[in-house]
Amino acid sequence: MTKTVEFISAEIGEGAQQMGCKFGPARLRAMGLVARLRTAGQAAQWGPTVTAHDELLEHGKLAVVQGFTPELADASHAAAAARRFPIVLGGDHSCAIGTWSGIAQAIRPQGALGLIWIDAHLDSHTPDTSESGAPHGMPLAALLGHGDPQLTDVFGWRAKLAPEHVVVIGARSYEPGEQALLERLGVRVMYMPEVTQRGMATCMAEAIERVSRGTAGWGVTLDLDAIDPADAPGVGSPELGGIPAAEMLEALRGLADQPGCAGFELVELNPTLDDAQHTSARLCRSLIEEVILGEAHSRVPIRQAA
Ligand SMILES: [Mn+2]
């Protein structure tokens, strides 16, 4: 890829039931992402670290996310506006509001943003439908323009995503209220049985086709809990029966080189729940290498297998 990769650390765990995702970005940074990309000939750098203000917790989880979102949005906006390729490392999934608001703002002069949301959950609650009140269950609704005004109106405009420009892949645990919102809006959801039947690579190809149509750019937000917990145990909300890691790696290979791809986000790694071998963190590193290096990277394991 000719663009420089810029990693942005989104240190927030306050949006979830458990705080551990706040330590995800530091864990990934310790794994040498930039050095490995550079060794492979890819320009890459560390960008800003945006850290949630935990002193706001006395006003509730939503207050922390309200404070964090515009700061992260400024960081992802700056990277995209400078024509670098942002990779945002979460953090709980509430960070997606900031990430994609910033990228939507950067490409707004050219047109609309598309987004592929890979997740075990729908993340489409509003404060009215959420039983837990945890903001990491709300980011997709906020980006579609529904929910708390401070989260929907970043940069002074609402609905960073139009429903026809969104595809959700891998959902297998959700509540009726959030499902009703997505159905009413007409968002395409590929639930887990469809992904199992058709294969992740086929679903991904259809999703890219859909989010490319009528948009000026598109991205992917990957919640690690979409992957089967046998392959990625270090997540806050594990759900049995997910997408095998091998299928996910294959489906994301060379993603950044696809026409229109404007950014990538990887969230919900909870290193405090990972195993002693850091299996989940190492999988995250491999996923990023597949996204950025694509075929150049994949030749190595294929040759070893032969
Ligand atoms: Mn999620």
Side-chain angles (χ1 to χ4, degrees):
M1 187 175 55
T2 53
K3 283 183 177 178
T4 296
V5 172
E6 178 173 322
F7 289 100
I8 297 169
S9 298
E11 294 185 332
I12 185 166
E14 288 85 347
Q17 318 270 24
Q18 301 181 61
M19 285 277 290
C21 290
K22 193 166 187 169
F23 311 109
R27 177 70 244 164
L28 292 173
R29 187 163 186 154
M31 302 191 72
L33 294 172
V34 161
R36 288 169 68 109
L37 292 182
R38 285 181 179 164
T39 300
Q42 171 64 49
Q45 64 190 48
W46 284 102
T49 294
V50 185
T51 305
H53 303 284
D54 54 7
E55 69 273 16
L56 289 172
L57 257 184
E58 61 177 289
H59 304 292
K61 290 177 176 296
L62 191 60
V64 179
V65 178
Q66 286 168 337
F68 178 81
T69 296
E71 293 182 27
L72 180 60
D74 282 341
S76 66
H77 173 258
R83 306 203 137 272
R84 293 187 290 272
F85 186 87
I87 297 184
V88 176
L89 305 173
D92 73 68
H93 216 164
S94 69
C95 68
I97 307 168
T99 296
W100 301 105
S101 292
I103 295 174
Q105 175 78 357
I107 70 167
R108 196 182 191 197
Q110 286 81 50
L113 174 71
L115 188 60
I116 300 173
W117 194 284
I118 308 174
D119 205 312
H121 309 93
L122 292 175
D123 290 2
S124 296
H125 276 296
T126 64
D128 293 334
T129 64
S130 171
E131 276 180 36
S132 72
H136 79 149
M138 307 177 187
L140 180 52
L143 288 164
L144 289 161
H146 298 268
D148 178 74
Q150 285 197 57
L151 302 182
T152 57
D153 293 8
V154 184
F155 297 117
W157 57 288
R158 188 168 296 187
K160 305 300 187 296
L161 299 170
E164 64 270 27
H165 298 149
V166 176
V167 177
V168 180
I169 302 179
R172 57 191 185 275
S173 173
Y174 41 85
E175 278 84 48
E178 53 179 349
Q179 186 180 31
L181 175 65
L182 294 186
E183 278 187 5
R184 178 163 66 80
L185 295 174
V187 171
R188 171 78 163 102
V189 180
M190 299 176 180
Y191 292 96
M192 198 57 216
E194 178 180 351
V195 181
T196 302
Q197 192 194 350
R198 301 176 69 202
M200 181 61 189
T202 303
C203 290
M204 194 66 192
E206 183 194 314
I208 290 172
E209 207 272 317
R210 283 183 80 100
V211 299
S212 300
R213 212 182 301 151
T215 61
W218 54 272
V220 173
T221 184
L222 172 57
D223 189 320
L224 203 58
D225 68 26
I227 297 170
D228 199 277
D231 294 334
V235 299
S237 317
E239 305 287 352
L240 292 177
I243 300 164
E247 269 198 59
M248 187 69 76
L249 288 161
E250 181 202 352
L252 296 184
R253 185 167 299 157
L255 184 84
D257 276 324
Q258 297 273 341
C261 187
F264 180 66
E265 181 178 54
L266 183 50
V267 304
E268 297 275 343
L269 169 67
N270 184 335
T272 68
L273 300 176
D274 209 354
D275 60 21
Q277 292 78 38
H278 305 299
T279 298
S280 313
R282 284 191 290 116
L283 175 60
C284 287
R285 184 173 66 190
S286 297
L287 287 162
I288 288 164
E289 289 178 334
E290 290 291 354
V291 165
I292 298 300
L293 301 176
E295 296 302 328
H297 170 65
S298 66
R299 261 184 238 117
V300 180
I302 286 167
R303 205 161 41 220
Q304 282 173 346

